[in-house]
Amino acid sequence: MSAPTGSRLVIYAALAGNLAIAIAKFIAAGISGSSAMLSEGVHSLVDTLNELLLLYGLRRAGKAPDSLHPFGYGRELYFWSFIVALLVFAAGAGVSAYEGFQHIRRPEPATNHALSYSVLGISILFEGASWWVALREFRRTKGRLGYFEAFRRSKDPSTFTVLLEDSAALLGLGFALIGLVAAQLLDMPVLDGVASLCIAGVLAATAFLLARETKGLLVGEPAHPAVAVRLMAVAETDPDLRRANGVTTMQMGPEQVVAMLSAEFEDDRRTPQIEACITRIETAVKREYPELVALFIKPQTPEVYAARRAALAAPPAPE
């Protein structure tokens, strides 16, 4: 199953911008000696690598199901998104924090401020354009949900990862600009190192949010509630079912959902009729939710289903 075109467009836009910005920042850092500019160069280099990993994850997630992965490779994208979060923290925040502490311990005034300001201005334009593309795509997919709720409920990490990265990049550029200006005007080069620590804090917070959300997707989350609601609505009107007890769904990838329906069949229904019933329900739901890749119907009485749901809702036993 191919990845959404919008997700790839967002990543390509971010990749092109971050690669150009990283080169410019490293050149400016080498000439000016600015700690904040070096941290920003590392930040953009990490973001460039992250976009490459997300594209690789999208390509892997689009592989067709096979004998080793009968439900497809959708969760590969979740895995690589989690690796991206770790890279943002380890490589981005870690290096920026180290550089900031070193510059605070041994502050040296930056030079060629005009070059640094020019690079920061161009970087803000590139990052702003990439951020706008990511925001526009996120708005298109979030519907009526609020931004934070849409972020928490999104099943496609590629879009919200780039949006968070670009937001962090714009904040980092703001801190770098403020640090350079303050260090120059106040003749306090230590503020350049403080700006690096602020950039590290932004990256650490971004990495935490990304890791928390992608961990949930990687471990396993239910699909959007609308899928379960539609499944129940279709099942309750099928003539071969006496009662539909409930639905359990699992998100296997951005566009891959597996569902299990607990139901009671009419007593006189035979195997061919049951198979036809399952096919009818699955076909009807797939017309609205093509991401449904498999539907299993488990015959259960309401009492058995209720006991199972209660067991799942119980708090885990202490280790």
Side-chain angles (χ1 to χ4, degrees):
M1 185 176 294
S2 60
T5 303
S7 297
R8 293 186 184 274
L9 175 63
V10 168
I11 298 173
Y12 283 133
L15 176 63
N18 283 321
L19 182 58
I21 292 169
I23 295 172
K25 286 176 180 176
F26 279 125
I27 294 174
I31 295 175
S32 67
S34 168
S35 171
M37 188 62 70
L38 180 60
S39 295
E40 275 298 302
V42 173
H43 181 179
S44 294
L45 184 62
V46 170
D47 283 350
T48 302
L49 179 59
N50 290 344
E51 265 78 71
L52 292 173
L53 289 177
L54 287 175
L55 287 172
Y56 179 74
L58 282 171
R59 186 174 69 83
R60 292 283 300 174
K63 290 184 62 177
D66 54 31
S67 58
L68 292 178
H69 298 85
F71 296 117
Y73 289 77
R75 285 192 178 175
E76 284 247 11
L77 178 58
Y78 299 159
F79 169 77
W80 289 110
S81 298
F82 189 74
I83 297 299
V84 163
L86 296 181
L87 278 175
V88 170
F89 180 79
V95 172
S96 296
Y98 174 79
E99 179 63 25
F101 281 122
Q102 290 294 102
H103 199 81
I104 290 174
R105 289 177 59 194
R106 293 186 292 272
E108 295 182 7
T111 59
N112 284 294
H113 287 90
L115 174 62
S116 297
Y117 295 146
S118 299
V119 171
L120 286 175
I122 294 172
S123 299
I124 290 173
L125 290 177
F126 273 105
E127 290 287 3
S130 175
W131 178 84
W132 176 249
V133 172
L135 180 64
R136 186 177 60 185
E137 178 65 17
F138 192 70
R139 279 178 174 174
R140 186 185 68 81
T141 58
K142 80 179 185 67
R144 297 181 178 179
L145 297 176
Y147 284 96
F148 187 72
E149 184 182 4
F151 167 67
R152 293 297 307 273
R153 295 174 64 173
S154 175
K155 307 302 181 184
D156 183 2
S158 58
T159 300
F160 70 67
T161 296
V162 174
L163 181 59
L164 271 180
E165 282 186 351
D166 287 345
S167 300
L170 288 173
L171 281 174
L173 287 167
F175 281 125
L177 182 59
I178 293 171
L180 283 174
V181 171
Q184 181 183 12
L185 295 181
L186 301 176
D187 195 22
M188 295 177 61
V190 70
L191 295 178
D192 194 6
V194 173
S196 286
L197 293 182
C198 292
I199 294 169
V202 169
L203 290 174
T206 303
F208 173 77
L209 289 174
L210 288 176
R212 187 178 66 175
E213 293 308 311
T214 53
K215 171 182 171 289
L217 292 168
L218 189 59
V219 172
E221 288 186 354
H224 193 280
V227 179
V229 170
R230 183 55 181 158
L231 262 171
M232 283 292 293
V234 172
E236 288 172 346
T237 60
D238 193 280
D240 288 333
L241 287 183
R242 177 184 299 173
R243 183 186 293 108
N245 300 320
V247 176
T248 302
T249 61
M250 178 67 72
Q251 193 79 34
M252 305 300 294
E255 299 294 329
Q256 295 168 316
V257 173
V258 174
M260 187 194 79
L261 172 67
S262 171
E264 286 184 89
F265 290 94
E266 296 292 348
D267 293 336
D268 59 346
R269 298 306 190 261
R270 298 183 178 276
T271 300
Q273 293 171 302
I274 293 174
E275 291 175 348
C277 170
I278 296 173
T279 301
R280 281 196 304 272
I281 296 173
E282 187 174 9
T283 302
V285 177
K286 275 188 174 182
R287 279 197 288 267
E288 295 182 44
Y289 300 99
E291 62 266 32
L292 181 65
V293 296
L295 170 64
F296 304 96
I297 297 185
K298 185 174 183 178
Q300 286 181 323
T301 63
E303 294 76 17
V304 172
Y305 178 74
R308 177 179 176 275
R309 296 296 296 177
L312 290 174
E319 296 182 0

